[in-house]
Amino acid sequence: MQDNFETLAIRLQAERTQFKEHSVPLYLTSSYKFDDAEEMRALFANEKEGNVYSRYANPNTDELINKMAVLEGAEAGWATASGMAAIFTTFASFLQSGDHVLSSRSVFGSTHQLLNNIFPKWGVSYTYADLDKLDQWENGIKPNTKMIFVETPSNPGIDIIDLAWLAQLAKKNGIMLVVDNCFATPYLQQPIKLGADISIHSATKFIDGQGRTLGGIILGSAKLIKEIEGFARHSGPAMSPFNAWLLSKSLETLAVRMDRHCESALKVAQFLEGNAVIKKVMYPFLPSHPQYDIAKKQMRQGGGIVTFVIDGGVAAAGKFMDGLKMFSISANLGDTRSIATHPATSTHSKLTEEERLQVGIEQGTIRLSIGLEHIDDILADIKQALA
Ligand SMILES: *Cc1c(COP(=O)(O)O)cnc(C)c1O
């Protein structure tokens, strides 16, 4: 088969059944039958590959995982019920009491909670570093640092780190590099090819892309995924077959959807950059982005998220949000529908003002997730809300 992304995303399917279906069916079964006692023994002893129980594997989750692994250049993968289940499972599989995590400061809110409040209960410590300050990464490594964790581009600040550089730093120090690749998807960025050990996705966002369901995926070497499996089989963060079925079909349109998200987001970023009441626009493929060269090197396109700061703080931000007629006000992103979020009063309201400023969130910061509506309608809505 051709190894073009679009073709693989469509043509890597589970085997057909005797019904010769064209589109893979949904396997709603909690468990599987064995031909005889010997087959049961061999499957449980891991001497034979096959389905046993849907907490472990299912034809729908297998298809999604195989596709994602090929698309991202990973050997293996594991599917979970949500993006957070994927992050929790990864932490729980590899970290133990006494270990230290060096993480980017600007991480998804619930990841922040895991690092700040949940894993410290089990003796795991953390330090935060800024994506754009490389010395903080070099100096942040301790003798007990087991894992480096990053989100790039970051949310909502859209900061970027050179993944190949970071992977080398991690390798040199014998530390595992884990990347939350949710904002980019495998179509725009492939961390494992750049040297990361694990790549994680919240499939809830652009992979589903239609705001319908939750899902998480962990990708890595066969050896590391075996360790994930050792934890996940018994702790049960499994993705449902229905969600896997839906998400695998979503992958068939990922490339065309991302092309449009990115094309429209770039136009929105360019429009905002020329506007007098906008203090700052952050988008990876704007030449004014401080890490534009790195973005160009490691990303196919700039992604679907545009963050900007409006003059006049929280009052002006609120006025802009309330002035939008088509955009949804929501905390989600990566949907067909364009969405506006005010991070300081929603996703990042639990942080102190100082912590918010450290991750690049001002009172006037607004995050836009650019959807798949016609670009003229997207721009018209932004223009009239600014006016
Ligand atoms: C949404 C999100 C998550 C969490 O994913 P869920 O599917 O909501 O659990 C993790 N990381 C990033 C970057 C996200 O945007």
Side-chain angles (χ1 to χ4, degrees), residues 82-84 87 108 151 155 180 182-183 202 204-205 214-215 333:
S82 67
M84 283 323 301
I87 294 171
F108 188 67
E151 262 178 49
N155 172 24
D180 180 335
C182 168
F183 265 40
S202 165
T204 312
K205 310 295 165 53
L214 298 181
L333 58 92

Side-chain angles (χ1 to χ4, degrees), residues 135-258:
D135 58 318
Q136 291 186 6
W137 295 91
E138 286 166 331
N139 300 332
I141 292 173
K142 299 180 180 190
N144 61 335
T145 304
K146 178 78 192 288
M147 181 185 287
I148 292 179
F149 181 88
V150 285
E151 262 178 49
T152 181
S154 68
N155 172 24
I158 317 290
D159 285 322
I160 286 167
I161 193 164
D162 186 333
L163 283 173
W165 177 84
L166 191 62
Q168 274 197 340
L169 180 73
K171 211 147 265 153
K172 206 170 67 193
N173 289 278
I175 299 167
M176 144 184 270
L177 173 61
V178 178
V179 179
D180 180 335
N181 200 27
C182 168
F183 265 40
T185 81
Y187 184 58
L188 301 185
Q189 178 171 278
Q190 299 169 329
I192 289 175
K193 288 191 182 162
L194 298 171
D197 297 291
I198 295 273
S199 173
I200 296 180
H201 292 274
S202 165
T204 312
K205 310 295 165 53
F206 289 103
I207 290 178
D208 172 50
Q210 289 148 86
R212 303 171 297 190
T213 192
L214 298 181
I217 315 238
I218 307 164
L219 301 165
S221 67
K223 185 165 164 276
L224 292 178
I225 297 301
K226 204 82 204 150
E227 288 191 53
I228 296 276
E229 184 181 342
F231 175 82
R233 265 174 88 114
H234 306 299
S235 53
M239 177 184 281
S240 78
F242 177 80
N243 285 9
W245 175 82
L246 200 61
L247 290 166
S248 186
K249 295 192 189 310
S250 304
L251 280 179
E252 297 178 8
T253 56
L254 181 68
V256 286
R257 286 187 285 108
M258 290 313 291

Side-chain angles (χ1 to χ4, degrees), residues 279-296:
K279 265 168 68 178
K280 184 176 160 190
V281 183
M282 291 295 282
Y283 186 71
F285 271 33
L286 275 185
S288 59
H289 190 289
Q291 293 110 26
Y292 174 69
D293 292 337
I294 302 168
K296 280 276 184 180

Side-chain angles (χ1 to χ4, degrees), residues 266-275 278 379 382-383 386:
L266 180 60
K267 285 181 182 154
V268 167
Q270 285 164 341
F271 165 75
L272 288 170
E273 193 163 50
N275 194 292
I278 308 294
L379 285 173
I382 294 171
K383 277 180 202 164
L386 283 173

